[in-house]
Amino acid sequence: YPFHVVDSAVWWHYMWELAFYWSLFISQFFDAKRKDFWEMFIHHVATLALLILSWTNHMHRMGSLVLLVHDFADHWLELAKLARYANFKMCCDISFVVFLVTWSYTRIGVFPTWIIYSTTIEAAQLVQMFPVYYIFNCLLSILLVLHIIWFYYIAKVAYKSLISGKTDDSRSDSDSDDEDSGDLSSDNKKLK
């Protein structure tokens, strides 16, 4: 650090993720408002700040790990949504269970115990601390709090699914009390 060579695949990965999160950040103001609008707003701001700061401070190795952990479960959610729209209930249920397990493991398990631990405890032993270090750890902690909130939403969907046999997204309504009319049709990475 700070003179690590940046592989072209890492450069492209960062640029695609930046473009994707900018598009989500902008489009959230035009999409249907969800109950977790403010959580998503905070998430997009924190994610964009982490991407930009990690890139400009040559911390792309840490940033790549954070991206990997956060992207790992998303394709299972998308597969569950596709299966639900196509009325393939068994595929939907299996995909959602795999999503639940991988999301919980990566975001509630790996993220705080490996990545946040490494950036808060181990990094101080390896590199000299500078102000951005504290900003990074604050942003990572904000993401962890959001993960815990979204874990509640995911667990709620799983519980309702087990009880009623329907997979409804408890975040889908915009501030109304009727939580049963929603679905898993939120845009890509809404539970991220």
Side-chain angles (χ1 to χ4, degrees):
Y1 174 82
F3 303 108
H4 299 296
V5 176
V6 179
D7 186 72
S8 65
V10 172
W11 186 89
W12 280 107
H13 187 219
Y14 255 83
M15 296 308 116
W16 281 111
E17 291 283 347
L18 268 170
F20 180 73
Y21 278 103
W22 275 114
S23 73
L24 286 180
F25 178 77
I26 293 166
S27 69
Q28 74 183 351
F29 297 106
F30 304 104
D31 289 344
K33 286 228 175 167
R34 305 242 180 235
K35 287 182 180 179
D36 65 344
F37 173 83
W38 289 108
E39 290 91 341
M40 288 305 299
F41 177 80
I42 293 167
H43 171 264
H44 292 142
V45 170
T47 302
L48 285 167
L50 279 168
L51 283 167
I52 292 167
L53 288 173
S54 66
W55 185 259
T56 57
N57 286 284
H58 305 285
M59 296 180 154
H60 52 274
R61 289 181 174 187
M62 180 270 304
S64 295
L65 286 175
V66 172
L67 287 171
L68 176 68
V69 165
H70 282 80
D71 290 343
F72 191 74
D74 292 339
H75 61 281
W76 292 107
L77 177 61
E78 299 307 319
L79 180 60
K81 289 183 201 178
L82 286 172
R84 181 168 186 224
Y85 299 147
N87 291 322
F88 296 141
K89 183 166 175 31
M90 182 172 293
C91 181
C92 176
D93 292 344
I94 291 169
S95 299
F96 183 77
V97 168
V98 173
F99 164 74
L100 176 64
V101 171
T102 58
W103 195 94
S104 302
Y105 177 72
T106 57
R107 309 259 179 108
I108 304 295
V110 172
F111 183 65
T113 60
W114 289 1
I115 294 178
I116 291 181
Y117 177 80
S118 177
T119 62
T120 57
I121 307 299
E122 296 175 338
Q125 300 166 1
L126 300 173
V127 296
Q128 182 179 0
M129 296 299 98
F130 55 102
V132 173
Y133 166 83
Y134 301 104
I135 296 169
F136 278 123
N137 285 319
C138 178
L139 292 169
L140 292 172
S141 298
I142 288 170
L143 288 182
L144 179 60
V145 169
L146 292 171
H147 294 167
I148 293 167
I149 292 168
W150 282 314
F151 179 75
Y152 167 76
Y153 288 142
I154 295 168
K156 192 173 177 180
V157 169
Y159 177 75
K160 284 185 177 183
S161 169
L162 287 173
I163 300 302
S164 69
K166 296 179 183 177
T167 50
D168 292 335
D169 186 347
S170 61
R171 307 164 308 113
S172 290
D173 299 325
S174 61
D175 297 331
S176 69
D177 292 329
D178 180 19
E179 293 186 359
D180 293 329
S181 65
D183 62 9
L184 287 175
S185 64
S186 59
D187 68 69
N188 193 10
K189 296 193 180 188
K190 278 293 189 189
L191 291 176
K192 187 170 173 194

